[in-house]
Amino acid sequence: MSPIIQGIITIIVGVGGCVGYFYFANLFLDKVLFPARGPNTGRNINRANMIRPWLFLFPAIFALSLYLVYPVIGSFIRSLYDRAGTEFIGPGNYIRLFNNPDFRQAFFNNILWVIVVPASTTFMGLLIAQLTDRLRWGGFAKSLIFMPMAISFVGASLIWKFVYAQDADIGIINAIRGNFGAEAIDPLQIPFWNNFLLMVILIWIQTGFAMVILSAALRGIPEETIEAAIIDGANPFQLFFKIKVPQIMGTIVVVWTTVTILVLKVFDIVYTMTGGNYGTEILPSFMMDFMFRDDGQATAVAFVIMLVVLPVMIWNILQARKEMR
Amino acid sequence: MDNIAGRKSGLVWATNIAVFVIVVAWLIPTVGLFVSSFRDRDQISASGWWVAPFSVELTYRTRADAVPTEDGNLFILEGNLFESEEVRDRFTGGASTIAAFGLRGREPGAFPAGEEVPNNDGGTIIVHEDGAYIYTSNEPFDGPPRVYFTADTPPDFTLDNYRNVLTADNMDRAFINTLTVTIPATIIPILIAAFAAYALAWMEFPGRGLLIAAVVGLLVVPLQLALVPLLNLHNQIGIGQSFVGIWLAHTGFGLPLAIYLLRNYMVGLPRDIIESAKVDGATDFQIFTKIVLPLSFPALASFAIFQFLWTWNDLLVAKVFLPSAGDAQVMTVKIADDLLGSRGGDWGILATAAFVSIAVPLVVFFSMQRFLVRGLLAGSVK
């Protein structure tokens, strides 16, 4: 069967199934299980209304538990078993990982990514948001800077391969170096600094996101505070750093954490640009080296990523709860 | 407004210039890819895309294939290199000039144009800038002799790369596969999430706060955790690596964001409408389908765009949940694993493949930017 027809059937079955489920389950609840008539009308309506939320929630809870909750537990258990998955070896996989210099390199690089990328992205986003704020063509400029958000990490990596290529007739960096008489180099093979060249790609993609959100936050600042500062004689820089930034601190933190979480997921850039060679390995790409070969170690790496994300997750939940009150 | 903002005109200028520089810097990489995808392969390796509109000095290999004439005991070939059969197609414009020529492949530009030099057959050869040549020999020719030359070649923009990528490289199949993955994986989670979001926003039941907190927590669970256990599960229940598997996976992974975005939006709907509908005797199901769902269209649209972009651009999930064989590859996998490996040096093909894969998201992005921005804001700014 051709995948297109299969796809169409899936859409019909999936969508129809969902709609059917919600409609008929609802009907069943009202007409058969707890009909709103007869001697117990009142009690039945109350009971139906107690059950209904769970009816609405069931597919979502089921999918979330199966695809996100179960894997956390399943991965952890799997990481305690050996490569074949038959023998329990306790923390063996973790010990092997921490003794593996490649893992330590990946871990170290990942920390670099987590520090540099969110910081630069937020900074660039804030800078551009502020610069374009009152510009007549600001909307146009923002939409161009926002554009990389639509590009896949693979596509972005290829785009940047044209920037970093060693051939001075393809890579613009080497072309510029050539103009100053320097010899062509492969930027992606410079130890340590190549990590930053890869980070530039993610910053290039994510700055638009930061910019859009921060620019909305800047617009939301009450005009009176700005006018008062101007009347008191604040210069534009004081205005920005002492009046505007403190008022949008909450949003800055949100942007920062969102990008941090993203950084810990992205393996595409490293995978496409260097394949993890030349000391650019990060945890997600390191995990893919084990995927399909040694599930024990692969899940162990995944769980290490989870542990790194955990503080952000807890902080997020606390924030959400604070807002609901 | 400009004046009360306390800005000096110099600062305004500086701002304009700074923004312009940033925008240009942001665009350069993409423009490079775009230009390269239309350039001829030889031109790509001969000059950078930033000089694409100018002519390039390229090396050619041809034969002096004019009809031989005899002058006493001297055999003469007289003709024009630009009109020789092997390179004729490349010089239809007629504006090219020859810079140098040579007789051996190792030194294709050994002699400057216009110089008369001895050839391998005991005679001489001269090639002029306009391509005219005279090749002499003391013996009859047993075939047209080889001549190499370098010439300024006018820019050559073609659609050949696109033709190659879309036909020879199986990219058309990958394109369809990507569509097949993307569309169900976008529609199904929206439906499931909309009901759940309504329940979390407008229905009272014990444990609601806890569920919302759980959704927020699940937002950040790294995908990597899900790969091994779920692939094993799919294999056990018989789905294996297939389209069904990847649809389910994308549905599961997209749900937290969908529920979160939609709930945030639905909570903001005016309470009066929903309560007066309840007073008029509408059931929850009716309120949801007739009032809340239509009102939530902007949020539904913005999540749909997110999920579409995310599934279209995804590499990780496709690598794990789809078979690695050729006819099930999506475009990202095709580019990352296939083309970068086998066509690593063919920049024209790579640029074109990348551009084919980002064209659809770019169209979606520019036509629906409004909803995308709204969705981002609903998700992040409180």
Side-chain angles (χ1 to χ4, degrees):
Chain A
M1 194 166 36
S2 107
I4 305 180
I5 300 171
Q6 215 183 335
I8 294 170
I9 293 174
T10 313
I11 295 178
I12 295 169
V13 171
V15 173
C18 285
V19 172
Y21 160 80
F22 286 118
Y23 183 75
F24 287 110
N26 204 52
L27 211 64
F28 179 76
L29 189 67
D30 283 337
K31 299 285 186 243
V32 183
L33 205 55
F34 298 115
R37 58 185 133 75
N40 299 327
T41 305
R43 206 190 66 191
N44 275 357
I45 290 180
N46 282 343
R47 282 191 177 168
N49 282 343
M50 264 170 63
I51 293 179
R52 203 184 322 274
W54 301 103
L55 211 76
F56 279 25
L57 283 167
F58 171 73
I61 292 181
F62 177 76
L64 284 179
S65 335
L66 186 63
Y67 279 87
L68 289 168
V69 180
Y70 157 70
V72 176
I73 302 158
S75 272
F76 179 65
I77 295 173
R78 183 64 186 82
S79 72
L80 300 178
Y81 284 82
D82 68 347
R83 180 187 197 148
T86 46
E87 199 185 329
F88 182 83
I89 52 169
N93 283 320
Y94 295 92
I95 293 168
R96 267 176 71 192
L97 279 184
F98 282 97
N99 287 330
N100 183 344
D102 290 342
F103 173 82
R104 289 201 298 264
Q105 168 94 60
F107 195 87
F108 171 74
N109 286 344
N110 228 145
I111 289 176
L112 270 186
W113 279 72
V114 165
I115 295 169
V116 175
V117 175
S120 332
T121 306
T122 315
F123 173 76
M124 284 302 290
L126 189 59
L127 181 76
I128 298 171
Q130 169 65 22
L131 287 179
T132 53
D133 198 25
R134 294 259 158 79
L135 227 53
R136 204 168 301 142
W137 55 292
F140 177 68
K142 277 197 277 194
S143 128
L144 289 180
I145 290 171
F146 195 31
M147 178 203 66
M149 277 287 283
I151 296 175
S152 62
F153 294 122
V154 174
S157 305
L158 267 188
I159 288 176
W160 281 84
K161 269 188 182 268
F162 276 79
V163 176
Y164 292 150
Q166 182 167 12
D167 186 340
D169 285 324
I170 291 167
I172 199 164
I173 287 186
N174 275 316
I176 294 169
R177 282 173 56 89
N179 270 349
F180 293 107
E183 217 160 280
I185 46 160
D186 188 346
L188 294 178
Q189 293 190 23
I190 309 168
F192 186 67
W193 298 106
N194 51 10
N195 283 303
F196 292 91
L197 295 178
L198 297 184
M199 290 178 208
V200 166
I201 303 175
L202 192 56
I203 296 169
W204 179 74
I205 296 175
Q206 287 295 313
T207 293
F209 159 78
M211 174 200 69
V212 163
I213 291 175
L214 292 171
S215 138
L218 283 177
R219 293 262 164 91
I221 295 175
E223 202 68 44
E224 305 87 71
T225 59
I226 296 171
E227 277 170 24
I230 293 169
I231 291 167
D232 288 347
N235 68 36
F237 293 97
Q238 287 173 323
L239 193 64
F240 182 68
F241 286 108
K242 300 217 166 128
I243 307 293
K244 288 183 172 177
V245 170
Q247 294 197 67
I248 58 167
M249 210 54 207
T251 314
I252 292 178
V253 173
V254 169
V255 171
W256 195 296
T257 48
T258 312
V259 179
T260 306
I261 293 164
L262 185 88
V263 168
L264 288 165
K265 290 182 184 174
V266 173
F267 97 110
D268 320 32
I269 293 176
V270 170
Y271 181 80
T272 327
M273 294 297 279
T274 63
N277 295 317
Y278 321 120
T280 56
E281 198 84 273
I282 55 173
L283 290 178
S285 65
F286 184 70
M287 180 198 168
M288 284 312 277
D289 293 347
F290 288 110
M291 190 78 204
F292 303 119
R293 292 198 292 115
D294 184 347
D295 283 355
Q297 292 216 53
T299 45
V301 178
F303 207 75
V304 171
I305 300 176
M306 177 73 202
L307 289 181
V308 179
V309 178
L310 204 59
V312 181
M313 183 195 243
I314 293 169
W315 188 84
N316 260 7
I317 294 176
L318 291 181
Q319 285 295 309
R321 293 202 69 103
K322 215 191 300 174
E323 260 153 47
M324 281 186 341
R325 251 174 243 132
Chain B
M1 208 61 204
D2 277 26
N3 281 335
I4 69 149
R7 297 196 176 189
K8 301 170 190 76
S9 63
L11 203 57
V12 173
W13 269 107
T15 314
N16 268 304
I17 292 167
V19 172
F20 182 76
V21 169
I22 294 173
V23 168
V24 169
W26 238 254
L27 279 182
I28 280 178
T30 320
V31 172
L33 181 88
F34 185 66
V35 172
S36 302
S37 75
F38 288 104
R39 295 184 77 207
D40 178 72
R41 184 208 300 214
D42 298 332
Q43 302 227 343
I44 289 181
S45 43
S47 73
W49 59 266
W50 48 93
V51 290
F54 307 108
S55 44
V56 186
E57 196 162 279
L58 288 183
T59 303
Y60 295 93
R61 184 174 98 124
T62 186
R63 287 177 188 279
D65 53 2
V67 183
T69 50
E70 274 184 67
D71 183 12
N73 52 4
L74 207 58
F75 297 87
I76 301 170
L77 289 167
E78 193 168 358
N80 192 312
L81 282 183
F82 290 139
E83 284 158 19
S84 61
E85 190 164 339
E86 286 184 28
V87 296
R88 193 186 296 153
D89 304 343
R90 313 291 292 274
F91 298 99
T92 44
S96 307
T97 53
I98 286 183
F101 66 99
L103 296 165
R104 278 181 300 168
R106 217 176 301 154
E107 302 167 281
F111 317 110
E115 191 176 327
E116 187 164 7
V117 293
N119 66 26
N120 306 336
D121 296 326
T124 59
I125 176 172
I126 179 166
V127 179
H128 295 285
E129 278 187 9
D130 60 358
Y133 65 88
I134 302 171
Y135 191 106
T136 60
S137 169
N138 295 326
E139 289 154 36
F141 299 102
D142 39 345
R146 271 259 170 255
V147 178
Y148 298 84
F149 66 95
T150 60
D152 274 339
T153 314
D156 185 10
F157 293 104
T158 78
L159 289 173
D160 283 354
N161 291 329
Y162 285 88
R163 211 167 296 133
N164 276 341
V165 162
L166 288 177
T167 54
D169 277 326
N170 239 345
M171 199 67 177
D172 50 341
R173 183 61 192 264
F175 188 90
I176 290 171
N177 285 339
T178 301
L179 262 184
T180 315
V181 168
T182 308
I183 293 175
T186 307
I187 297 175
I188 296 172
I190 293 182
L191 211 66
I192 298 177
F195 276 93
Y198 174 75
L200 290 175
W202 288 106
M203 290 167 116
E204 292 291 338
F205 59 92
R208 190 172 77 156
L210 216 61
L211 272 179
I212 298 171
V215 169
V216 174
L218 291 178
L219 268 176
V220 302
V221 169
L223 220 64
Q224 277 80 7
L225 276 175
L227 304 179
V228 173
L230 284 178
L231 188 60
N232 288 342
L233 182 82
H234 280 178
N235 284 334
Q236 274 160 23
I237 59 176
I239 299 175
Q241 288 181 314
S242 68
F243 282 109
V244 179
I246 197 171
W247 290 325
L248 292 176
H250 273 311
T251 301
F253 301 148
L255 269 182
L257 182 68
I259 299 176
Y260 180 69
L261 275 184
L262 293 178
R263 191 202 88 94
N264 270 4
Y265 190 86
M266 287 179 184
V267 158
L269 294 176
R271 181 170 281 274
D272 302 356
I273 305 180
I274 289 157
E275 273 174 2
S276 54
K278 268 191 185 149
V279 171
D280 289 345
T283 64
D284 273 313
F285 193 77
Q286 283 168 327
I287 295 176
F288 174 71
T289 49
K290 300 215 168 116
I291 299 174
V292 173
L293 211 52
L295 284 179
S296 308
F297 178 75
L300 295 173
S302 64
F303 172 73
I305 298 167
F306 271 121
Q307 180 76 356
F308 175 82
L309 291 179
W310 156 244
T311 47
W312 185 282
N313 291 340
D314 158 77
L315 171 68
L316 182 60
V317 179
K319 258 182 85 68
V320 175
F321 287 96
L322 277 181
S324 53
D327 48 346
Q329 278 178 335
V330 295
M331 283 192 288
T332 44
V333 177
K334 174 100 199 153
I335 292 172
D337 283 357
D338 240 34
L339 295 185
L340 269 179
S342 64
R343 300 272 207 151
D346 197 336
W347 294 93
I349 296 289
L350 285 178
T352 314
F355 198 74
V356 167
S357 83
I358 65 178
V360 174
L362 282 184
V363 170
V364 170
F365 174 81
F366 278 115
S367 55
M368 309 243 207
Q369 206 175 13
R370 204 161 42 101
F371 291 113
L372 192 69
V373 170
R374 203 182 311 193
L376 277 179
L377 297 181
S380 319
V381 180
K382 316 289 165 34

